[in-house]
Amino acid sequence: MNSVDLKFFQAVVKANSIGGAAFALNTVQSNVTARIKSLEEEIGVPLFHRSRRGVMLTATGNQLVPYADRIGELLEEAKKVVTDKETPKGALRIGSMETTAAQRLSPILIRYACDYPEVDVQIETGPTEALVAEVLNRRLDGAFVSGPIEHEELESVPIVVEELVLISSPKIASMRELEQAASSPSLKVLAFRAGCSYRRRMDAYLAGLGAVDVRWMELGTLDGIIGCVSAGVGVAMLPRSVVEEAVAAGRVVAHCLPEHKGSATTVFVRRRNEYAPASLQCFVNLAVQTFCEGRAAA
């Protein structure tokens, strides 16, 4: 069993056909067929059920898939180790919560682009749970998420502690009014989609108040949430840093939470015990440095 045969096996699995695999690998079908046949002869059992509609994995084929994927990943990692130079270059896939992207990410990206122009930084936003899954599945190199994150395959670098506040329209002047309003069926609680850490915190906070029939309204953008709160559609829990402009403009009111509920640490997660290319190491170092400078200036 060699890596080339496994590469052909992966291509057939992904394409679900010999012809599709041949096209993806830029080769002829007979070459793919020969590679798969060689692999099956070495193992001693079929890896695919073949029919006119294509191919389907056998039980043994299904067992081989994760090993083939891992071997492919190790080979790619080994290639990065021996070819990675001191000057970062190539693609860097970074995930970020919407709130961090809106308020915290720009200074890092500007400095990083100036210092490392040969790196193509790609940003994907989403809720914490989704971003963590993307890092674990190796679709992202790392991500800014709300901590703590406890997973044996991940390591976390603390970045910044955010103060969380409840926001409402100016019509709700006090925390007591807000808590009463949040429990009312006439008012919605605004949040990002399921998997958002701030949504989980808001849910737990309302549960502590005895609010059980909460009406949630999901929005995909930070501006959408703040705009709906300003219009009196509902209330929300967000970092103070992302609502300061709206508060200063009188569009929303920020209500302080109890001290033990009013903070959240943003962390950068990446896979543990794996080679980190220079582009990722430099990005993490710059992120930590940028946030430390921001705190010192404040």
PDB file of all heavy atoms in Angstrom, residues 27 49-50 109 135 144 149 156 173 180 189 191 195 237 257 259 272 280 295:
ATOM      1  N   THR A  27      -5.955  12.160 -15.528  1.00  0.00           N
ATOM      2  CA  THR A  27      -5.389  10.923 -16.068  1.00  0.00           C
ATOM      3  C   THR A  27      -6.495  10.145 -16.784  1.00  0.00           C
ATOM      4  O   THR A  27      -7.625  10.633 -16.896  1.00  0.00           O
ATOM      5  CB  THR A  27      -4.762  10.083 -14.943  1.00  0.00           C
ATOM      6  OG1 THR A  27      -4.065   8.968 -15.516  1.00  0.00           O
ATOM      7  CG2 THR A  27      -5.805   9.583 -13.965  1.00  0.00           C
ATOM      8  N   HIS A  49     -18.183  -1.430  -4.490  1.00  0.00           N
ATOM      9  CA  HIS A  49     -19.189  -2.147  -5.264  1.00  0.00           C
ATOM     10  C   HIS A  49     -19.351  -1.370  -6.572  1.00  0.00           C
ATOM     11  O   HIS A  49     -19.567  -0.160  -6.559  1.00  0.00           O
ATOM     12  CB  HIS A  49     -20.532  -2.181  -4.533  1.00  0.00           C
ATOM     13  CG  HIS A  49     -20.495  -2.922  -3.233  1.00  0.00           C
ATOM     14  ND1 HIS A  49     -20.243  -4.276  -3.150  1.00  0.00           N
ATOM     15  CD2 HIS A  49     -20.691  -2.482  -1.956  1.00  0.00           C
ATOM     16  CE1 HIS A  49     -20.284  -4.647  -1.887  1.00  0.00           C
ATOM     17  NE2 HIS A  49     -20.545  -3.580  -1.134  1.00  0.00           N
ATOM     18  N   ARG A  50     -19.249  -2.043  -7.702  1.00  0.00           N
ATOM     19  CA  ARG A  50     -19.312  -1.363  -8.989  1.00  0.00           C
ATOM     20  C   ARG A  50     -20.649  -1.622  -9.669  1.00  0.00           C
ATOM     21  O   ARG A  50     -21.164  -2.741  -9.641  1.00  0.00           O
ATOM     22  CB  ARG A  50     -18.152  -1.817  -9.878  1.00  0.00           C
ATOM     23  CG  ARG A  50     -16.776  -1.417  -9.328  1.00  0.00           C
ATOM     24  CD  ARG A  50     -15.666  -2.200  -9.994  1.00  0.00           C
ATOM     25  NE  ARG A  50     -14.324  -1.735  -9.611  1.00  0.00           N
ATOM     26  CZ  ARG A  50     -13.710  -2.073  -8.492  1.00  0.00           C
ATOM     27  NH1 ARG A  50     -14.310  -2.871  -7.609  1.00  0.00           N
ATOM     28  NH2 ARG A  50     -12.493  -1.628  -8.233  1.00  0.00           N
ATOM     29  N   LEU A 109      -5.244  42.611  10.277  1.00  0.00           N
ATOM     30  CA  LEU A 109      -5.131  42.308   8.846  1.00  0.00           C
ATOM     31  C   LEU A 109      -4.320  43.362   8.109  1.00  0.00           C
ATOM     32  O   LEU A 109      -3.541  43.041   7.201  1.00  0.00           O
ATOM     33  CB  LEU A 109      -6.526  42.180   8.228  1.00  0.00           C
ATOM     34  CG  LEU A 109      -7.378  41.023   8.739  1.00  0.00           C
ATOM     35  CD1 LEU A 109      -8.757  41.050   8.095  1.00  0.00           C
ATOM     36  CD2 LEU A 109      -6.696  39.685   8.468  1.00  0.00           C
ATOM     37  N   VAL A 135     -12.068  24.244  12.237  1.00  0.00           N
ATOM     38  CA  VAL A 135     -10.656  24.064  12.598  1.00  0.00           C
ATOM     39  C   VAL A 135     -10.348  22.585  12.791  1.00  0.00           C
ATOM     40  O   VAL A 135      -9.331  22.077  12.306  1.00  0.00           O
ATOM     41  CB  VAL A 135     -10.308  24.864  13.871  1.00  0.00           C
ATOM     42  CG1 VAL A 135      -8.875  24.558  14.325  1.00  0.00           C
ATOM     43  CG2 VAL A 135     -10.465  26.362  13.634  1.00  0.00           C
ATOM     44  N   PHE A 144     -10.756  32.877  15.683  1.00  0.00           N
ATOM     45  CA  PHE A 144     -11.067  33.659  16.867  1.00  0.00           C
ATOM     46  C   PHE A 144     -12.461  33.251  17.343  1.00  0.00           C
ATOM     47  O   PHE A 144     -13.450  33.458  16.630  1.00  0.00           O
ATOM     48  CB  PHE A 144     -11.063  35.159  16.558  1.00  0.00           C
ATOM     49  CG  PHE A 144      -9.722  35.708  16.182  1.00  0.00           C
ATOM     50  CD1 PHE A 144      -9.388  35.924  14.850  1.00  0.00           C
ATOM     51  CD2 PHE A 144      -8.787  36.025  17.159  1.00  0.00           C
ATOM     52  CE1 PHE A 144      -8.161  36.439  14.500  1.00  0.00           C
ATOM     53  CE2 PHE A 144      -7.549  36.546  16.819  1.00  0.00           C
ATOM     54  CZ  PHE A 144      -7.229  36.751  15.487  1.00  0.00           C
ATOM     55  N   ILE A 149     -12.364  27.053  25.407  1.00  0.00           N
ATOM     56  CA  ILE A 149     -12.535  25.913  24.499  1.00  0.00           C
ATOM     57  C   ILE A 149     -11.693  24.768  25.041  1.00  0.00           C
ATOM     58  O   ILE A 149     -10.467  24.870  25.102  1.00  0.00           O
ATOM     59  CB  ILE A 149     -12.095  26.249  23.060  1.00  0.00           C
ATOM     60  CG1 ILE A 149     -12.919  27.422  22.508  1.00  0.00           C
ATOM     61  CG2 ILE A 149     -12.228  25.022  22.172  1.00  0.00           C
ATOM     62  CD1 ILE A 149     -14.402  27.130  22.367  1.00  0.00           C
ATOM     63  N   SER A 156      -5.569  26.756  22.743  1.00  0.00           N
ATOM     64  CA  SER A 156      -6.146  28.103  22.716  1.00  0.00           C
ATOM     65  C   SER A 156      -5.123  29.134  23.167  1.00  0.00           C
ATOM     66  O   SER A 156      -4.393  28.911  24.132  1.00  0.00           O
ATOM     67  CB  SER A 156      -7.374  28.181  23.628  1.00  0.00           C
ATOM     68  OG  SER A 156      -8.364  27.259  23.232  1.00  0.00           O
ATOM     69  N   ALA A 173     -35.156  52.012  29.881  1.00  0.00           N
ATOM     70  CA  ALA A 173     -34.101  52.809  30.514  1.00  0.00           C
ATOM     71  C   ALA A 173     -33.314  52.080  31.584  1.00  0.00           C
ATOM     72  O   ALA A 173     -32.160  52.410  31.845  1.00  0.00           O
ATOM     73  CB  ALA A 173     -34.721  54.072  31.118  1.00  0.00           C
ATOM     74  N   GLN A 180     -37.679  42.554  32.652  1.00  0.00           N
ATOM     75  CA  GLN A 180     -39.114  42.317  32.546  1.00  0.00           C
ATOM     76  C   GLN A 180     -39.525  42.204  31.080  1.00  0.00           C
ATOM     77  O   GLN A 180     -40.317  41.341  30.708  1.00  0.00           O
ATOM     78  CB  GLN A 180     -39.887  43.449  33.229  1.00  0.00           C
ATOM     79  CG  GLN A 180     -39.743  43.469  34.736  1.00  0.00           C
ATOM     80  CD  GLN A 180     -40.398  44.691  35.357  1.00  0.00           C
ATOM     81  OE1 GLN A 180     -40.683  45.676  34.681  1.00  0.00           O
ATOM     82  NE2 GLN A 180     -40.651  44.622  36.667  1.00  0.00           N
ATOM     83  N   VAL A 189     -35.737  38.125  21.569  1.00  0.00           N
ATOM     84  CA  VAL A 189     -34.315  38.177  21.925  1.00  0.00           C
ATOM     85  C   VAL A 189     -33.540  37.942  20.639  1.00  0.00           C
ATOM     86  O   VAL A 189     -33.705  36.905  19.988  1.00  0.00           O
ATOM     87  CB  VAL A 189     -33.953  37.123  22.986  1.00  0.00           C
ATOM     88  CG1 VAL A 189     -32.465  37.204  23.307  1.00  0.00           C
ATOM     89  CG2 VAL A 189     -34.778  37.338  24.250  1.00  0.00           C
ATOM     90  N   ALA A 191     -30.232  37.396  18.208  1.00  0.00           N
ATOM     91  CA  ALA A 191     -28.939  36.712  18.316  1.00  0.00           C
ATOM     92  C   ALA A 191     -28.521  36.194  16.962  1.00  0.00           C
ATOM     93  O   ALA A 191     -29.316  36.145  16.011  1.00  0.00           O
ATOM     94  CB  ALA A 191     -29.025  35.554  19.313  1.00  0.00           C
ATOM     95  N   GLY A 195     -25.280  28.067  17.911  1.00  0.00           N
ATOM     96  CA  GLY A 195     -23.837  27.850  17.977  1.00  0.00           C
ATOM     97  C   GLY A 195     -23.085  29.086  18.395  1.00  0.00           C
ATOM     98  O   GLY A 195     -21.879  29.033  18.634  1.00  0.00           O
ATOM     99  N   MET A 237     -27.521  40.428  23.698  1.00  0.00           N
ATOM    100  CA  MET A 237     -26.290  40.449  24.488  1.00  0.00           C
ATOM    101  C   MET A 237     -25.109  40.483  23.532  1.00  0.00           C
ATOM    102  O   MET A 237     -24.991  39.614  22.665  1.00  0.00           O
ATOM    103  CB  MET A 237     -26.196  39.214  25.384  1.00  0.00           C
ATOM    104  CG  MET A 237     -24.932  39.179  26.250  1.00  0.00           C
ATOM    105  SD  MET A 237     -24.779  37.659  27.244  1.00  0.00           S
ATOM    106  CE  MET A 237     -26.075  37.917  28.459  1.00  0.00           C
ATOM    107  N   LEU A 257     -24.131  43.918  33.026  1.00  0.00           N
ATOM    108  CA  LEU A 257     -24.475  42.625  33.616  1.00  0.00           C
ATOM    109  C   LEU A 257     -23.767  42.466  34.952  1.00  0.00           C
ATOM    110  O   LEU A 257     -22.770  43.154  35.215  1.00  0.00           O
ATOM    111  CB  LEU A 257     -24.039  41.489  32.674  1.00  0.00           C
ATOM    112  CG  LEU A 257     -24.881  41.293  31.415  1.00  0.00           C
ATOM    113  CD1 LEU A 257     -24.088  40.519  30.380  1.00  0.00           C
ATOM    114  CD2 LEU A 257     -26.169  40.562  31.742  1.00  0.00           C
ATOM    115  N   GLU A 259     -21.123  41.171  37.538  1.00  0.00           N
ATOM    116  CA  GLU A 259     -19.699  40.998  37.230  1.00  0.00           C
ATOM    117  C   GLU A 259     -19.356  39.586  36.775  1.00  0.00           C
ATOM    118  O   GLU A 259     -18.590  39.395  35.827  1.00  0.00           O
ATOM    119  CB  GLU A 259     -18.859  41.366  38.448  1.00  0.00           C
ATOM    120  CG  GLU A 259     -17.363  41.360  38.167  1.00  0.00           C
ATOM    121  CD  GLU A 259     -16.550  41.855  39.346  1.00  0.00           C
ATOM    122  OE1 GLU A 259     -17.165  42.370  40.311  1.00  0.00           O
ATOM    123  OE2 GLU A 259     -15.326  41.713  39.315  1.00  0.00           O
ATOM    124  N   ARG A 272      -3.765  21.190  17.930  1.00  0.00           N
ATOM    125  CA  ARG A 272      -2.663  20.894  18.833  1.00  0.00           C
ATOM    126  C   ARG A 272      -1.720  19.845  18.215  1.00  0.00           C
ATOM    127  O   ARG A 272      -2.146  18.972  17.466  1.00  0.00           O
ATOM    128  CB  ARG A 272      -3.220  20.360  20.154  1.00  0.00           C
ATOM    129  CG  ARG A 272      -2.191  20.210  21.260  1.00  0.00           C
ATOM    130  CD  ARG A 272      -2.782  19.451  22.441  1.00  0.00           C
ATOM    131  NE  ARG A 272      -3.981  20.086  22.968  1.00  0.00           N
ATOM    132  CZ  ARG A 272      -3.981  21.062  23.871  1.00  0.00           C
ATOM    133  NH1 ARG A 272      -2.832  21.503  24.357  1.00  0.00           N
ATOM    134  NH2 ARG A 272      -5.115  21.571  24.296  1.00  0.00           N
ATOM    135  N   LEU A 280       1.025  31.091   9.835  1.00  0.00           N
ATOM    136  CA  LEU A 280       0.107  31.012  10.977  1.00  0.00           C
ATOM    137  C   LEU A 280       0.794  31.492  12.260  1.00  0.00           C
ATOM    138  O   LEU A 280       0.193  32.238  13.045  1.00  0.00           O
ATOM    139  CB  LEU A 280      -0.393  29.581  11.152  1.00  0.00           C
ATOM    140  CG  LEU A 280      -1.355  29.336  12.328  1.00  0.00           C
ATOM    141  CD1 LEU A 280      -2.590  30.219  12.202  1.00  0.00           C
ATOM    142  CD2 LEU A 280      -1.756  27.858  12.393  1.00  0.00           C
ATOM    143  N   ARG A 295      -4.739  47.342  24.517  1.00  0.00           N
ATOM    144  CA  ARG A 295      -5.037  47.427  25.943  1.00  0.00           C
ATOM    145  C   ARG A 295      -4.169  48.480  26.623  1.00  0.00           C
ATOM    146  O   ARG A 295      -4.608  49.225  27.498  1.00  0.00           O
ATOM    147  CB  ARG A 295      -4.837  46.062  26.605  1.00  0.00           C
ATOM    148  CG  ARG A 295      -5.924  45.048  26.267  1.00  0.00           C
ATOM    149  CD  ARG A 295      -5.902  43.906  27.261  1.00  0.00           C
ATOM    150  NE  ARG A 295      -4.658  43.154  27.219  1.00  0.00           N
ATOM    151  CZ  ARG A 295      -4.448  42.119  26.417  1.00  0.00           C
ATOM    152  NH1 ARG A 295      -5.404  41.721  25.596  1.00  0.00           N
ATOM    153  NH2 ARG A 295      -3.302  41.475  26.443  1.00  0.00           N
TER     154      ARG A 295
END
